[in-house]
């Protein structure tokens, strides 16, 4: 098996083997684009290294032969003059992880080669800058030396020279920096900075593969649910230099606007710079229009290349390029990170342009990202004045307290406080903080800086390059003109306009996106699984229907018992007076009729699944501690406490050591059947009322927490009695399917028996996950679940994405045996997993008829259900 492939010989479609970057370089080389030569070491080497702890020794002879071929193609030599090659080593997984792994540039330079570079380039400034960059990057990435040691040296030199940017230092300054850097490395890692180019290359390649397992890469994979087993490739490429002179520069561009999807070229350019300077955001950039003024021919060639590549890949692309002495080179192409709005608009526009079909368009949008489209923005009529304005890097508005470090963002978010991460610029090490913050603000960087690209990928508002903002993260303060922003101050950022405001400003709801309706119509044509909503109130049901819900799969009646009704529920539970209990039940029944009517009216013509009361009754009662504290206050005031004593005793009677496994669900209905009878009677009355009003109501009743078939048999009899009585009163026939939630392992394992009685199953995966794992969700999330995921004990949160091997196996058994016993059995899922794309794909595979989720996730679920059809290779139109 070959460990590596030259760009000129590799298959540009082999992303899994070559990684996205390597596949792109191979494909562009095949297309005849100006790509500097090089080779890709495959992801298989990374997987071997993960298993062995290091790359295989027999890789190095292949690398030596590849270098010989590269020298032959370029007519130059690696590690010696007179025309030396310098190399870059860059990571590249099959799934884009921008900036999360390591890169080493300018490999091949040493005390001899630097003088050859001076002769070759005619610029001592360029040669010594390349050398100091190599020492700094190699020491940081390969040897683990603290980069701040080098930054302090550069800061001192800039201060002595009176300049703001490293590019303004003289060649003597850069030579001095290089020598100081070398002494720092010798002090920190004696004898470990190699001068031999081959040794440099081997160290860099090994470090790039190790970086697959660094913290920021692991954090990124956890956030984006990327498997650890994929591995990264390593791309070794001849460097071209954007810092060679005034006729050189480097940039990043997108074939369309990644924030809006508009068909305009979008990007940044930096003269006299290397690519890392653009992405790092350490210098503010020029626009592509300004690039055109500097290099009209290069700009025109770049636009042609962008158009050709978009036509070839049928996608909006992110392209890295360099101009060396007036000549254009293309260094990378990949699918561009985009906002949800841009993704939707691009998918629809490219289908209309004939570049892709409807099915492909549906796969181009992340289902979970659609919730971003409903986030508010700053009112255009606001009278607030921005304290500073920067680059509109990622659209949307966000308000929160200022934090200056990634760790602060994580801790603040854990406390439930919204925050904005404010930095001079972000680096890949900030990824965990960026994920926790509501928005990102940087004083440096442009539209394609690390902060901008990552924020767009996460769907978070971002303002970059706010040059009027001076950030002193160490001191916890930022200065914007006369305004000081300190840690904990509230600000609002507008990633659509680039404006930053002190405190909060008026927000408005977003406008409807017509292309979203088009895309979802295509998705609806493709999907075979229904999408229903979890909704308890008529307003929620109306919102869900507006977002495309095809009914209510879960109406949780316990949510209807809160607020002003809590007192009624407490009287039902606590009173020993039969008349008082009856009166309270009748009052609650009238209100439940109104509740159910509202849901049936909002979903007229569509199914409404009402779940009878599920939690234990003590959850509706005051805590004994609160009662005791109130009693103590009364005693001190000389007031009687008899009523509190009686209530405390009654509360104690209902308390359980483990209420989750106690008297709840169907057990409660069988022990206190007047409560469940009241709910069934109210639901049936609402049904007949809607029929009398000329509606088309479709009521279904669901019994929770069934573990034995006999529980369902007896409860179904109670419900059917009430439905029959309502039908008799209304002198009509009522068809009310009666089913159960499958949320206990025993119910799943005896599904064949239960299915003979049930009209439908709805998998309550929240409780089924808790019961299968034997844990409490609230306790687990608060105490150890995050650590389990970070340490790799669990690959993902089982309450967010369905556990296929455990919980999923129970569902598979229940579906199979349930359908065998009752071929007409309807199968649904009503936990929050119903809005998770991975979980939707799994239950589609099992043949479920529908999923049900919260209203904000309806549109994403519609899209995910269609993608599940496409991913399985099932026949679709379009």
């Amino acid at each position: 098996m070959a460990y590596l492939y030259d760009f000129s010989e590799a298959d540009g479609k082999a992303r899994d083997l070559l990684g996205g970057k390597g596949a792109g370089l191979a494909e562009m080389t095949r297309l005849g684009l100006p790509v500097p030569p090089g080779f890709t070491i495959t992801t298989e080497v990374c997987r071997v290294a993960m298993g062995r702890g290091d790359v295989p020794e027999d890789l190095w002879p292949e690398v030596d032969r590849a270098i010989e071929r590269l020298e032959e193609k370029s007519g130059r030599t690696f590690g010696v003059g007179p025309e030396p090659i310098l190399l870059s080593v860059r990571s590249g997984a099959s799934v884009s992880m921008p900036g999360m792994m390591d890169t080493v540039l300018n490999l091949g330079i040493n005390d001899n080669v630097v003088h050859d570079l001076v002769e070759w380039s005619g610029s001592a400034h360029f040669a010594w800058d390349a050398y100091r960059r190599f020492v700094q990057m190699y020491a940081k990435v390969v040897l683990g030396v603290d980069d701040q040691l080098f930054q302090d040296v550069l800061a001192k030199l800039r201060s002595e020279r009176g300049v703001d940017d490293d590019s303004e230092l003289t060649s003597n300054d850069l030579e001095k920096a290089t020598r100081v850097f070398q002494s720092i490395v010798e002090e920190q890692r004696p004898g470990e900075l190699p001068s031999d180019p081959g040794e440099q290359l081997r160290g860099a390649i090994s470090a790039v593969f190790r970086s697959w397992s660094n913290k920021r890469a692991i954090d990124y994979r956890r956030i984006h649910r990327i498997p650890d087993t994929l591995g990264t490739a390593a791309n070794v490429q001849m460097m071209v230099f954007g810092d060679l002179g005034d006729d050189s520069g480097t940039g990043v561009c997108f074939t369309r606007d990644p924030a809006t999807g508009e068909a305009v070229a979008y990007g940044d350019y930096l003269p006299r710079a290397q690519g890392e300077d653009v992405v790092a955001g350490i210098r503010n950039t020029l626009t592509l229009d300004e690039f055109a003024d500097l290099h009209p021919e290069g700009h025109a060639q770049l636009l042609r290349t962008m158009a050709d590549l978009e036509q070839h890949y049928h996608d909006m692309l992110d392209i890295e390029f360099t101009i060396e002495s007036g000549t254009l080179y293309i260094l990378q192409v990949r699918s561009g990170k985009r906002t949800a709005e841009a993704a939707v608009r691009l998918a629809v526009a490219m289908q209309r342009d004939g570049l892709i079909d409807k099915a492909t368009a549906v796969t181009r949008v992340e289902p979970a990202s659609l919730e971003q489209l409903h986030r508010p923005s700053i009112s255009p009529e606001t009278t607030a004045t921005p304290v500073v304005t920067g680059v509109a890097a990622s659209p949307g508005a966000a308000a929160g307290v200022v934090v200056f470090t990634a760790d602060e963002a994580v801790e603040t978010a854990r406390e439930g406080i919204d925050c904005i991460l404010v930095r001079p610029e972000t680096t890949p090490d900030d990824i965990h903080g960026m994920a926790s913050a509501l928005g990102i603000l940087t004083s440096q960087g442009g539209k394609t800086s690390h902060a901008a690209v990552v924020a767009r990928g996460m769907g978070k508002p971002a303002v970059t390059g706010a040059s009027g903002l001076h950030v002193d993260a160490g001191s916890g303060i930022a200065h914007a003109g006369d305004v000081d922003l300190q840690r904990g101050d509230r600000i609002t950022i507008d990633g659509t306009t680039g404006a930053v405001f002190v405190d909060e400003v008026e927000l408005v709801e977003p406008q409807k996106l017509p292309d979203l309706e088009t895309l979802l119509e295509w998705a609806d044509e493709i999907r075979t699984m229904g999408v229903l909503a979890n909704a308890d109130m008529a307003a929620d049901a109306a919102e869900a229907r507006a977002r495309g819900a095809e009914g209510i799969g879960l109406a949780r009646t316990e949510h209807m018992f809160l607020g002003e009704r809590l007192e009624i529920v407490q009287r039902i539970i606590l009173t020993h007076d039969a008349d008082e209990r009856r009166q309270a039940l009748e009052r609650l029944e009238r209100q439940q009729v109104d509740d159910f009517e509202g849901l049936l009216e909002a979903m007229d013509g569509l199914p409404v699944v009402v779940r009878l009361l599920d939690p234990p009754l003590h959850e509706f009662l005051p805590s004994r501690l609160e009662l005791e504290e109130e009693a103590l206050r009364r005693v001190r005031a000389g007031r009687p406490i008899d009523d509190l004593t009686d209530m405390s005793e009654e509360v104690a009677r209902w308390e359980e050591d483990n209420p989750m496994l106690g008297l709840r669900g169907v057990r409660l209905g069988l022990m206190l059947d007047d409560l469940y009878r009241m709910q069934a009677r109210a639901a049936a009355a609402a049904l007949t009322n809607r029929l009398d009003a000329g509606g088309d109501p479709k009521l279904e009743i669901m019994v929770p927490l069934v573990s034995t078939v006999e529980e369902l048999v007896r409860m179904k009899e109670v419900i059917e009695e009430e439905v029959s009585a309502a039908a008799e009163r209304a002198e009509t026939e009522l068809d009310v399917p009666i089913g159960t939630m499958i949320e206990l392992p025993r119910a799943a394992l005896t599904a064949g028996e239960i299915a003979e009685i049930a009209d439908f199953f709805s998998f309550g995966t929240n409780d089924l996950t808790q019961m299968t794992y034997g844990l409490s969700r609230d306790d687990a999330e608060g105490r150890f679940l995050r650590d389990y995921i970070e340490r790799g004990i669990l690959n993902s949160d089982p309450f967010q994405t369905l556990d296929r091997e455990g919980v999923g196996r129970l569902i598979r058994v229940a579906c199979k045996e349930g359908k065998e016993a009752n071929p007409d059995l309807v199968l649904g899922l009503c936990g929050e997993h119903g809005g998770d794309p991975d979980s939707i794909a799994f239950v589609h595979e099992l043949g479920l008829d529908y999923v049900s989720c919260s209203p904000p996730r309806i549109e994403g679920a519609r899209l995910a259900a269609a993608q599940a059809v496409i991913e399985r290779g099932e026949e679709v139109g379009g």
Side-chain angles (χ1 to χ4, degrees), residues 3 42-56 59 205-206 209-210 212-213 232:
Y3 284 135
T42 69
T43 56
E44 183 59 33
V45 173
C46 185
R47 288 188 284 272
V48 170
M50 282 191 283
R52 297 182 183 177
D54 202 354
V55 298
L59 166 67
I205 291 170
S206 296
F209 283 125
R210 285 197 302 272
W212 174 256
S213 299
T232 182

Side-chain angles (χ1 to χ4, degrees), residues 4-9 35-40 62-79 83-89 107 201 235-240:
L4 60 82
Y5 295 89
D6 291 355
F7 297 161
S8 57
E9 298 172 352
V35 176
F39 55 91
T40 299
E62 281 198 47
V63 169
D64 292 340
R65 291 191 292 272
I67 293 297
E68 291 173 1
R69 294 192 298 272
L70 194 156
E71 289 177 324
E72 186 177 338
K73 289 174 185 174
S74 65
R76 293 159 63 179
T77 49
F78 178 54
E83 296 186 46
I85 297 174
L86 298 190
L87 299 177
S88 65
V89 180
L107 290 153
L201 181 59
N235 300 283
V236 180
Q237 187 174 26
M238 185 183 84
M239 290 194 64
V240 289

Side-chain angles (χ1 to χ4, degrees), residues 680-693:
R681 191 162 54 246
L687 179 63
T688 58
N689 290 350
R690 287 299 304 149
L691 288 170
D692 291 343

